[in-house]
Amino acid sequence: MADYSSQTFLNEKINLPHTNFKVGVVTALWNTAITGVLKSGAVNTLLDAGIPEKNITIWDVPGSYELIYGANKLATDGYDAVICLGVVIQGETRHFDFICDAVANGIANVTIKHNIPVAFGLLTTDNQEQAVERSGGKHGHKGEEAAWTVLKLLERG
Ligand code: RBF
């Protein structure tokens, strides 16, 4: 039976028209042990694609909710793409839903308003284990995948 869970396209090589793109990597500090891994994966993927280090801005914001501000600020400052990374873990209260909804909608607004790729690299999990599995574990590396996503869109120039 076909394995519909494996996103093999993520291994496709990216051929950028040039490597002058300025890319922002905005990372939330909450659950920093995991968001740090997402960030390293994203930055390494950009470097592997030929984006020079000087063109990559790394900005750590307090929580995932602030990813919206970070992305909007960098987009306003003329960045070609922004990668947003965060981990929201389900707690006992309804904050999880409010934060996840706000970030999803906020980032969507930034990508539409500024017409640049903005990656939604937000893990929204029931527990820490699920987040670990998605940051280089058995469910892939969502930091690398978020970077691949913006590169794939920048490929068009
Ligand atoms: N930020 C995250 O990135 N991940 C979380 O799991 C998370 N949980 C939160 C739970 C509560 C109850 C609150 C008040 C905030 C949480 N935040 C979390 C922080 C949030 O993204 C934001 O930084 C703050 O609400 C300040 O605007």
Side-chain angles (χ1 to χ4, degrees):
M1 193 165 113
D3 178 7
Y4 294 105
S5 67
S6 60
Q7 272 75 49
T8 49
F9 63 86
L10 291 164
N11 298 321
E12 275 175 27
K13 192 168 161 25
I14 304 281
N15 293 304
L16 294 173
H18 62 81
T19 53
N20 293 331
F21 296 112
K22 276 172 61 182
V23 182
V25 180
V26 187
T27 311
L29 288 169
W30 273 66
N31 304 300
T32 200
I34 299 167
T35 62
V37 175
L38 295 176
K39 177 168 60 177
S40 311
V43 171
N44 287 334
T45 301
L46 296 175
L47 293 172
D48 286 350
I51 307 282
E53 202 175 338
K54 67 174 172 52
N55 287 16
I56 302 171
T57 293
I58 295 172
W59 184 5
D60 292 344
V61 296
S64 291
Y65 186 78
E66 286 71 41
L67 293 171
I68 304 164
Y69 174 77
N72 196 53
K73 178 81 173 92
L74 293 181
T76 305
D77 290 350
Y79 278 71
D80 298 295
V82 182
I83 297 161
C84 294
L85 303 168
V87 175
V88 190
I89 297 177
Q90 177 74 274
E92 290 179 355
T93 69
R94 296 177 60 214
H95 261 88
F96 177 87
D97 299 311
F98 287 120
I99 294 171
C100 297
D101 283 353
V103 178
N105 289 319
I107 289 175
N109 282 331
V110 175
T111 202
I112 293 166
K113 184 170 114 191
H114 296 278
N115 207 18
I116 63 162
V118 182
F120 180 69
L122 186 73
L123 303 187
T124 59
T125 63
D126 291 336
N127 51 52
Q128 177 133 354
E129 190 191 350
Q130 288 179 345
V132 169
E133 287 168 351
R134 288 158 180 79
S135 49
K138 67 178 176 189
H139 288 295
H141 196 310
K142 302 305 168 195
E144 292 176 359
E145 292 172 20
W148 186 91
T149 299
V150 301
L151 289 165
K152 186 71 186 162
L153 295 169
L154 291 174
E155 202 175 35
R156 190 166 178 272

